[in-house]
Amino acid sequence: MRKLLGGVVGAVMAAGAATAATPSDTMVIAWALDDVITLDPAQIGEVNSDEFMGNVCDSLLTTAYDDPSKLLPHLAESWTRSPDGLTYTFKIRQGLKHPSGNPVTAEDAAWSMRRIIWLNFGNAASLTQWGFSKENIEKSVRATDPSTLLVTFDKPYPESLILPAMFTGRSAYAIDKVEALKNAKGDDHGNAWLKQNSACVGPYKLRSHTANETLILERNDGYWKGPVPLRRVIVRHVPESAAQRLQLEKGDVDMARILNPEDLDSIEKNPNTRIVRVPRHQYYYLSFNTSDPELSNPKVRQAFRYLIDYQGLEKTVMRYEGIGRASLVPLGAFGALSREEGLPYKLDLAKAKQLMTEAGFPNGFKKELIVATTFPFPDIAQHVQANAAKIGIDLQLNQMASAARLTKVRSREYQISSSVWSTGYPDADAMVSRHGFNPDNRLEAKQNMFPSWNAAWKSEWFDDMWIKSRMEPDPAKRIAMYHEIQKRHMEESGMVYMFQAVRNIAVHKQLKDFKTHSFKLWYTTASK
């Protein structure tokens, strides 16, 4: 198998060198793969891994290509809600088969949700935040027959909130229970095996992953919607922007995913390439470990908000990459502040110095800022570092691979981190539930899929407002509550948001028809 896969990748590289074109049945993507830690849907926490598996596993529901708020049937052909608002009944399509040949059943979907809770990785938060626990998961999520799945909640959450939040992403995949358990080790529910294998129904299947080299998806010819146009997707580890641009311009790759402004300028001018830009519900932000005595002071964190030239960076380093935004909730989400209200700050060194003095640090201090090596993290960090130095703050930059940075942040072994976070549904709740609410701030709780926990920041007021806002049935009142949360969050939180990300997908003219919106990129429609 390994020899065969090597031949596949080698053929792609040879095609690029000889003809400046990738094979007609293959999409080749240049991206960074150093943060691909696992491909188990129950454990994934990274943007690229989420995208890969989102093209491998179908969820119960999906969204329209052009509107992430429009829900469509997918593995579930229909669903109903009980009169009390607590139980959802999903009817699973009949006749579907996993790549193994095993039938797709409601039990697969139920078991997939349960194992998220049983394994208790960070992704368990996607279920525990809705009241599920090890004690109630088997009773609350169950299959009553091969095609009927019942999911019962502890509260009657608004349907417009719970459906996109719970049933369009990783928590609603139907993993092949028989195949996963056949490869399980002890009571790991197939976790070790699923880190490098796929077992679910979807348009592609994972063929191989070689760390920091390549990831290959192969078409599932037995897919229930019919085979997708391209037989294969190959993702190459190309962390350098210039290398991605050169490969794209030569036709050695079809798509490039991490490019700096200079390389995007070149691609935009090239008649053989184009840029597809989509605002994302994703943030570039600074995370402060507030268990540090000096960083625990809110005025210190406020000072950092005035060390960022949002407007200047928007025109330079971030001109393709992001929109200046300091609010907790991204533009385009239900309940978001306006662009003006969501960015009440600007570069103001005198104000930053004043806040540091009021906090008791007129002469500043020395801290380490950990940074991923990929663009735009070093550029943003150097900007903050330079302005911090002007008011006496000595920031020592420590660049490292994304996976190493994530490990430090998720174990609270850091002081300040240049971080990134993506949400899964277009509602303010998606951010408030992770960046406002903190379920258990104790170190031993290890709630590391909550950025609030990673920042060791907890507020009873925000915990309470999160519950009240998500349960409020009146949309106008919900919006008012979210506006109050955002304004207070900018004053108190352990996170300093800088930019809402824009997804830049640089594409060679030979690639056509792929679809994308704020939350997903579909490989399934791409053709040549």
Side-chain angles (χ1 to χ4, degrees):
M1 176 67 78
R2 185 172 295 278
K3 185 175 180 181
L4 176 61
L5 293 177
V8 169
V9 178
V12 171
M13 293 182 174
T19 65
T22 56
S24 60
D25 65 350
T26 301
M27 176 167 64
V28 183
I29 302 172
W31 209 349
L33 296 176
D34 58 341
D35 59 350
V36 178
I37 301 168
T38 179
L39 295 166
D40 183 349
Q43 194 176 6
I44 288 170
E46 292 68 51
V47 172
N48 48 13
S49 303
D50 180 66
E51 179 173 305
F52 304 148
M53 297 313 292
N55 283 281
V56 170
C57 299
D58 284 352
S59 49
L60 291 173
L61 307 181
T62 189
T63 62
Y65 292 138
D66 59 350
D67 185 356
S69 66
K70 183 178 180 181
L71 299 183
L72 302 171
H74 209 32
L75 288 182
E77 60 184 357
S78 65
W79 63 93
T80 57
R81 187 188 193 203
S82 62
D84 63 6
L86 296 177
T87 299
Y88 288 79
T89 301
F90 296 90
K91 298 301 291 185
I92 306 300
R93 294 180 189 276
Q94 298 185 52
L96 274 57
K97 290 187 179 297
H98 292 291
S100 67
N102 295 325
V104 178
T105 67
E107 177 58 26
D108 288 332
W111 180 79
S112 299
M113 289 187 187
R114 292 184 203 136
R115 73 185 291 273
I116 295 173
I117 292 290
W118 292 333
L119 289 170
N120 199 32
F121 293 119
N123 278 341
S126 65
L127 297 179
T128 59
Q129 67 167 322
W130 303 109
F132 298 107
S133 66
K134 288 184 178 180
E135 290 71 32
N136 67 24
I137 190 65
E138 292 190 59
K139 181 179 179 181
S140 301
V141 179
R142 57 196 177 93
T144 57
D145 62 49
S147 64
T148 306
L149 172 70
L150 269 62
V151 181
T152 300
F153 293 89
D154 62 335
K155 297 181 180 69
Y157 300 105
E159 188 170 6
S160 61
L161 172 61
I162 199 65
L163 286 176
M166 266 284 296
F167 301 112
T168 63
R170 296 190 302 271
S171 60
Y173 293 165
I175 294 173
D176 186 341
K177 178 181 177 180
V178 173
E179 189 71 9
L181 289 181
K182 185 173 74 176
N183 292 280
K185 294 182 179 179
D187 59 354
D188 80 340
H189 307 287
N191 171 249
W193 183 72
L194 285 168
K195 285 183 177 181
Q196 295 290 335
N197 294 276
S198 62
C200 55
V201 61
Y204 284 96
K205 52 190 174 182
L206 177 65
R207 183 163 177 178
S208 73
H209 169 227
T210 304
N212 296 328
E213 290 186 19
T214 58
L215 182 140
I216 301 176
L217 305 181
E218 196 78 15
R219 183 170 66 194
N220 176 13
D221 287 327
Y223 186 45
W224 62 277
K225 285 187 174 180
V228 296
L230 296 179
R231 178 170 295 279
R232 187 178 296 115
V233 177
I234 297 176
V235 187
R236 292 189 198 159
H237 179 56
V238 186
E240 301 84 11
S241 175
Q244 288 197 20
R245 175 182 60 80
L246 288 171
Q247 290 185 28
L248 184 70
E249 290 178 339
K250 288 167 60 180
D252 291 345
V253 300
D254 302 299
M255 183 184 292
R257 301 299 297 274
I258 303 177
L259 295 157
N260 65 31
E262 292 73 22
D263 290 318
L264 285 168
D265 282 342
S266 176
I267 286 166
E268 200 162 44
K269 296 172 184 175
N270 190 321
N272 294 319
T273 56
R274 71 186 192 279
I275 302 169
V276 177
R277 304 189 75 217
V278 181
R280 302 197 63 188
H281 290 217
Q282 180 185 49
Y283 273 111
Y284 295 108
Y285 69 101
L286 296 177
S287 178
F288 292 79
N289 186 341
T290 64
S291 62
D292 180 295
E294 293 161 326
L295 300 179
S296 67
N297 192 313
K299 289 190 175 182
V300 168
R301 304 192 296 272
Q302 275 290 87
F304 273 80
R305 294 185 184 276
Y306 291 98
L307 296 179
I308 302 158
D309 185 358
Y310 305 88
Q311 294 77 14
L313 287 174
E314 256 195 29
K315 298 174 183 177
T316 54
V317 170
M318 301 298 288
R319 64 182 178 273
Y320 290 100
E321 195 69 24
I323 303 164
R325 189 156 179 84
S327 168
L328 167 69
V329 180
L331 291 167
F334 176 87
L337 289 171
S338 68
R339 182 159 189 191
E340 293 72 24
E341 288 181 299
L343 186 58
Y345 304 99
K346 62 180 181 181
L347 178 64
D348 189 336
L349 297 179
K351 180 67 173 178
K353 181 70 172 178
Q354 175 191 333
L355 286 164
M356 286 293 291
T357 300
E358 291 174 3
F361 307 109
N363 300 316
F365 46 58
K366 182 177 180 179
K367 297 294 174 187
E368 181 184 65
L369 171 57
I370 61 173
V371 186
T373 56
T374 51
F375 178 81
F377 299 103
D379 303 69
I380 295 173
Q382 289 164 14
H383 171 86
V384 176
Q385 179 190 42
N387 287 330
K390 295 173 183 177
I391 65 166
I393 300 175
D394 181 6
L395 287 183
Q396 299 292 308
L397 302 191
N398 183 359
Q399 293 192 43
M400 59 188 69
S402 294
R405 187 200 62 79
L406 281 168
T407 298
K408 282 183 172 290
V409 170
R410 291 175 181 174
S411 57
R412 291 186 182 171
E413 295 175 354
Y414 76 105
Q415 293 176 328
I416 307 173
S417 170
S418 181
S419 295
V420 63
W421 182 264
S422 298
T423 70
Y425 49 101
D427 193 289
D429 180 82
M431 284 294 287
V432 178
S433 64
R434 299 301 183 93
H435 290 238
F437 171 66
N438 182 339
D440 187 342
N441 200 41
R442 294 173 303 133
L443 182 62
E444 59 269 27
K446 297 183 178 179
Q447 296 284 343
N448 55 28
M449 287 304 284
F450 287 84
S452 53
W453 183 91
N454 294 337
W457 179 75
K458 183 173 177 65
S459 162
E460 296 299 332
W461 184 87
F462 282 96
D463 291 351
D464 182 59
M465 282 293 286
W466 166 62
I467 294 293
K468 289 179 179 177
S469 60
R470 67 167 23 184
M471 296 306 302
E472 174 54 58
D474 185 321
K477 290 181 179 178
R478 276 189 77 209
I479 288 173
M481 294 171 78
Y482 285 139
H483 284 188
E484 182 182 5
I485 288 170
Q486 289 168 81
K487 290 173 182 177
R488 187 160 169 175
H489 199 269
M490 282 189 277
E491 296 289 329
E492 301 177 21
S493 83
M495 288 71 75
V496 169
Y497 305 101
M498 299 179 287
F499 293 94
Q500 181 176 344
V502 173
R503 177 189 282 140
N504 291 290
I505 305 168
V507 183
H508 197 276
K509 67 179 183 181
Q510 62 203 12
L511 184 68
K512 302 176 176 64
D513 302 327
F514 74 90
K515 305 291 186 183
T516 185
H517 61 43
S518 298
F519 294 95
K520 184 166 182 175
L521 189 153
W522 284 267
Y523 303 161
T524 54
T525 60
S527 65
K528 290 185 174 180

